[in-house]
Amino acid sequence: MKIRAISGDISAIKADAIIISVFEEARKPEGELARIDKKLGGAVTKMMKEGEVKGKLSEIALIHSLGKLGAGRVAVVGLGKKAELTQDKVRQAAGETLRYLKKKGVATAASLNLGAGAAGISPEDAAQTLAEAALLGTYSFDKHLTKKNNNHKEIKELSIVAVASQLASAQKGIDRGVIIAEAANLARDMTNEPANFMTPTEMANVAKKLAGDYGLELTITEKKEMKALGMGGVLSVNQGSAQPPKFIILSYRGRKTEKVDIALVGKGVTFDSGGISIKPSEGMGEMKGDMAGGAAVIAAIGAIAQLKPKVNVVALCAATENMPDADALKPGDIITIMNGKTVEIISTDAEGRLTLADVLCYAVDKLKAKNIVDVATLTGACRVALGDITTGAFANNQALADRLLKAAKETGEYTWQMPMYEEYKEQNKSDVADIKNAGNRWAGAITAALFLSEFAGETPWVHLDIAGTSDTDKDHGYQVKGATGVPVRTLVKLVMSLAK
Ligand code: BES
Ligand code: MN
Ligand code: ZN
């Protein structure tokens, strides 16, 4: 989809459809909508009277213009109550509308710069939000379908109509929105891709492509070097797999120093069968998405490289499968993480924390990162606690947590901080090793976070458990069934905020 800012009279624009918004309080068409209504012979007024246009958030009414306007159709979309408007509500409503129009076969669309001026939303931010909504809301993963279906239709062009004096800032917002949404869609593509395609090697290939396209520095650490580094967590998880592990490191340099301002660490288990502690077969296929965290940090640094903030960022992902095999890791085994700490394996299905432990050590000891954020589909317990709506956040540093929560709030990627009280640590105590990799049934998301905290040490660190939020089972707003691309937009926003 090509998105651009234009100025002019929306009622004259030649397009398959135009998009106009209405608030819930409106009793009759106002402003631009009133002008359109007049040209349509009062169609909108009638629909409002009859309760067909109520202005409720994401409610869509489609009106054929029958030659009375430049465009063939008008989509009137509700933005809810004006006083309750947020940027994310605009994103939700616009995402819903563009997906709806795509399904109707609309190829060219024009939209008012929805939300601009209301709720303190600048024209630039409104245009960014709209561009994001368009690309996120019309996303589909259909590369493996040999027969085309309705979802294959594409909106080829979206024009965002801005006041002439705001044209340049609207275009700036669009450019930023496109970069960010395309990054989220890349993370979605990687996560939706089945495990026989998105292997550790393929993840490394995606990183290679990004490095080439946007000038990132790339290091792929192979199994042999991982052995030399003592990455016992990743290697033990990899033992049962026929796929070689890949430790992917992408670096972005935004300022003239070697210092790493922030390390973004992602869990990259390209398939989690559970290993010898094998998972039930029902729903196991979902575990192709156990690399969503890795996909998010790789995609996010691709966007960061295009936005060019004055910050140094490194994205790290140790990619491996978790498979059962004669050589596989076994319950009862004791392994050694990169920093020398020993771990008793209670369950080979608590594999994510083993791979992340090594990478956190690497970020702390080798990179001396000033801040770390890790992103992982880590625990079913987090999904039980927060569902597929909210990401769980855990932190050893409140300033960094607050900064991340603020970024998450701004992007609409719901995130909620969970406690990390010392008392929960009891569950991770082992009689035969320094720590064990699983506790009892209760508070599983917290004990997993506490396990990770041992390897983050004193470095300010936030852990995001996206086991619930990395995919969704239905289309809603700008979200589409399948991988969500969470928390790419939050990570980008966080890094941009560090540059200020
Ligand atoms: N990848 C899973 C967590 C997960 C579950 C992600 C559901 C997405 C949806 C993780 O490796 C896992 O298996 N965790 C175990 C830990 C337990 C054995 C301590 C879990 O949550 O059951
Ligand atoms: Mn597992
Ligand atoms: Zn896992």
Side-chain angles (χ1 to χ4, degrees), residues 267 269 272 287 290 349 351-352 377-378:
K267 172 175 172 180
V269 176
D272 180 13
M287 286 300 127
D290 211 19
D349 197 11
E351 85 296 341
T377 46
L378 201 64

